[in-house]
Amino acid sequence: MTTTDPGAATLSPAELRYEKQLARLEGSLRSWRTPARRRLLVRLNWACIAVMSAIAVTSYFWLPIAIAWIPMTVAICAAWSMLRTVIDMKDAAPARYLDEYETMTLLRARSTALKALVAILMALGMLLVWASSLEFGDGHRLAYALGGLAILGVFVGGVIPAAAMARTMDPADPDDR
C-alpha cells in the first residue's frame, strides 16, 4: 500500500512513517537482497557482538583494548543498517504490512529477544551488585566492562527479530535463488 491509495487516510502515523522509510530505502543495496547475502549480514551482526563481548570482558583486565570498540562500533552499525535495509525494516513493520507467517515469526522473535535481553541485563545487574558489594576489582573497569556487555545485550535484542525476518524473505528476483 502506498500513501496514494484511497485508504491512505486511514493510515496511522506509524504506518505513514514506515511507508516513507520504505520509499526512501526502496532501491538501496539491491545486490545485498539475496538470501545468501542476508545470511551473511546476520552472521556479521552476530560476529560483531561476539568480538565486542570479548573486548568488553578483556577491557576489565587490560583497559587499553577498549579503544577497539571504536572500529567495532562502526562495523556493527554498518552491518545492522545494511541488514535492516535489505529486510525492508520488517522487524519493525506494522502488522498490516506482514502476512500471517511473518507476523507469527516476528512475534516469536520479539518474545525471544525480550527473554534474552531480560536474562542478560539481570545477570549483569546481579554481577555488578555482587562485585561492588564485595569491592571486587577495579570499580571503573568493572563498570565499563559490564556497561559494554549491557549495550551488547540491547543489540542482541535487536538482532534476533531482524535475523528471524531475514529468514522469512524470498529472493528479490527468480535469478537470485
Side-chain angles (χ1 to χ4, degrees):
M1 179 185 303
T2 64
T3 55
T4 58
D5 283 344
T10 62
L11 294 179
S12 71
E15 292 168 337
L16 287 172
R17 273 192 311 275
Y18 181 73
E19 283 194 5
K20 284 181 189 175
Q21 289 173 333
L22 276 181
R24 188 173 45 92
L25 299 174
E26 189 174 27
S28 301
L29 302 174
R30 283 260 181 241
S31 64
W32 283 88
R33 292 178 183 260
T34 65
R37 295 257 176 114
R38 283 193 301 268
R39 285 190 302 271
L40 175 63
L41 287 171
V42 169
R43 286 192 303 267
L44 281 172
N45 273 280
W46 288 120
C48 286
I49 289 170
V51 169
M52 292 176 85
S53 295
I55 291 168
V57 171
T58 304
S59 71
Y60 176 75
F61 303 101
W62 187 56
L63 193 57
I65 193 72
I67 196 74
W69 264 77
I70 295 170
M72 288 308 301
T73 299
V74 171
I76 198 167
C77 287
W80 172 245
S81 297
M82 289 175 71
L83 177 61
R84 297 229 35 242
T85 298
V86 301
I87 66 169
D88 294 326
M89 298 172 304
K90 284 192 175 194
D91 60 325
R96 148 188 264 173
Y97 296 90
L98 303 173
D99 62 30
E100 188 175 332
Y101 175 72
E102 288 173 332
T103 302
M104 299 249 322
T105 300
L106 183 57
L107 290 174
R108 210 172 314 118
R110 285 179 176 171
S111 176
T112 301
L114 180 62
K115 289 174 189 172
L117 181 58
V118 167
I120 290 167
L121 294 180
M122 180 68 149
L124 292 173
M126 291 179 72
L127 183 58
L128 189 56
V129 168
W130 175 77
S132 65
S133 66
L134 295 178
E135 296 181 18
F136 176 73
D138 196 356
H140 75 280
R141 287 182 183 208
L142 182 66
Y144 185 84
L146 295 181
L149 291 173
I151 291 169
L152 291 174
V154 174
F155 270 108
V156 167
V159 171
I160 290 172
M165 294 313 289
R167 284 191 310 269
T168 67
M169 298 182 74
D170 291 327
D173 300 320
D175 299 332
D176 292 338
R177 292 184 193 257

